Amino acid sequence: FAAIQAGMEGLVNDPGYAALLGTFGPALLDPTGSRPPARQIDGMGGPPTIRHPRELRAIPNNAILQQIGWCANTLQGLGTAVARHPQEFSDLMANSKRFRRAMQFAQHALAHSDIDVLHAVIATLDPKSWLDRAAHGASAEEREAMIAVARALEGLGMWSSSLAMLRRIQLDHLMLRGVWRDAPVMATPEMLLHALRLALVQRIWLLATRVPDFSTRYGVTRDWVETRLLRLDVSATLAILGKVFPDRPDPAGARDFHEPPAPRPTGSYVQLHQEVFAPISQYFGLVREISTAISHEVGAFG
């Protein structure tokens, strides 16, 4: 148990763990209760920046782990402990009903965890993966969009620490599987839910690159919008974009003020709403629906 505790403490203090939890994890969940999932909020509004897991409340913390496909709060450190005493582990599993009952927590966690799912989540945050895709883009427009996502992710600065954290988790998991060879694995339908949702997230990010540049308005900038959409703060960001790019002309443009009007755009952005904002909203709704489905698969809904 000391090895399990040490393994979990090491993971919690890993900067990559906080980065993984806080990048877009809270946005995958529907709001629950009367308190926000995080304990502090940054000065710009929107989702807080998580610098340590203690800034995230316990229930959202566990729920995010389930949503990213790795129940680290139950599994981390178990592989190290089992690898130190492989024979004792096998004997206890075979002969101790009490030990097998205790291991049911780990069995359930493993049935809803997959290292490849976690790797896919982290790879989505990797600017290089987007540049690799851009190199094979079918059109110049696709390549430019993928390069724009890569640049935005560089600015987010989450990839390198998350990759180091993944190696820590993967090493412990390999030691666990090396001893516990018949441990459960994630079912294919649940894995497909993760894959579909990641595809939707990536589609949202690609659509976000089509938001036009604009001067600072309502206290926000184009870079702010980019960061918020990367973190899936979709509803609030679309509300602001709806003001910056109205879908109908400003009625003041048709009024007679008995003086020459100042130059101003009087058109609307109907096409932008139809081709960018509306699909982003639709895809994000599907992201949340899939999150609910994953919660039901795990059995942790409600």
Side-chain angles (χ1 to χ4, degrees):
F1 290 105
I4 296 174
Q5 182 179 2
M8 193 61 211
E9 287 178 354
L11 182 65
V12 166
N13 291 319
D14 191 317
Y17 186 61
L20 182 66
L21 288 175
T23 301
F24 58 75
L28 299 176
L29 306 169
D30 286 312
T32 56
S34 59
R35 297 187 297 175
R39 301 180 188 274
Q40 67 179 25
I41 299 178
D42 62 22
M44 286 290 291
T49 299
I50 306 298
R51 297 177 178 84
H52 192 279
R54 71 169 65 94
E55 298 171 4
L56 196 65
R57 303 189 189 281
I59 293 176
N61 185 319
N62 297 341
I64 291 169
L65 291 173
Q66 295 162 7
Q67 292 297 328
I68 61 178
W70 193 262
C71 300
N73 56 333
T74 304
L75 298 175
Q76 188 62 25
L78 183 59
T80 303
V82 167
R84 289 180 181 176
H85 306 282
Q87 189 58 51
E88 288 86 342
F89 175 80
S90 298
D91 292 344
L92 287 169
M93 286 293 286
N95 303 312
S96 173
K97 183 177 180 180
R98 183 178 180 183
F99 184 78
R100 289 196 300 272
R101 186 181 301 118
M103 292 304 295
Q104 286 177 356
F105 289 102
Q107 287 177 316
H108 187 80
L110 285 167
H112 302 286
S113 300
D114 189 277
I115 199 71
D116 289 333
V117 170
L118 179 62
H119 192 182
V121 172
I122 294 175
T124 300
L125 299 170
D126 177 14
K128 184 180 183 301
S129 70
W130 289 89
L131 293 175
D132 290 341
R133 291 172 61 184
H136 301 283
S139 67
E141 183 180 6
E142 287 183 1
R143 290 193 293 272
E144 290 171 4
M146 292 174 186
I147 290 171
V149 172
R151 286 174 175 161
L153 288 170
E154 287 283 3
L156 205 58
M158 299 293 187
W159 160 248
S160 58
S161 60
S162 296
L163 180 60
M165 182 273 307
L166 175 64
R167 291 195 296 268
R168 179 194 293 269
I169 288 178
Q170 190 169 18
L171 176 60
D172 188 79
H173 181 61
L174 285 171
M175 289 191 289
L176 177 62
R177 291 285 180 184
V179 177
W180 194 1
R181 297 186 181 278
D182 60 345
V185 297
M186 182 183 289
T188 299
E190 187 173 344
M191 192 178 299
L192 289 174
L193 286 172
H194 285 284
L196 287 170
R197 190 179 55 187
L198 269 179
L200 288 168
V201 169
Q202 293 178 14
R203 185 60 185 160
I204 289 171
W205 290 358
L206 288 169
L207 282 170
T209 66
R210 296 174 59 183
V211 175
D213 289 331
F214 60 91
S215 57
T216 302
R217 300 186 197 178
Y218 305 100
V220 303
T221 64
R222 174 66 174 75
D223 289 343
W224 184 93
V225 167
E226 190 175 71
T227 299
R228 292 306 171 193
L229 290 178
L230 279 180
R231 301 188 62 196
L232 297 184
D233 183 26
V234 171
S235 299
T237 304
L238 288 182
I240 292 175
L241 288 173
K243 296 178 181 179
V244 176
F245 303 103
D247 60 354
R248 57 183 59 87
D250 185 351
R255 295 174 184 169
D256 183 5
F257 293 97
H258 304 288
E259 62 181 29
R264 66 171 68 185
T266 58
S268 64
Y269 297 91
V270 174
Q271 187 175 1
L272 183 63
H273 280 257
Q274 292 176 343
E275 297 182 358
V276 178
F277 298 165
I280 287 177
S281 179
Q282 180 184 10
Y283 293 153
F284 185 63
L286 291 173
V287 164
R288 283 280 181 83
E289 288 188 26
I290 292 175
S291 294
T292 301
I294 290 173
S295 294
H296 281 293
E297 289 289 328
V298 176
F301 184 81

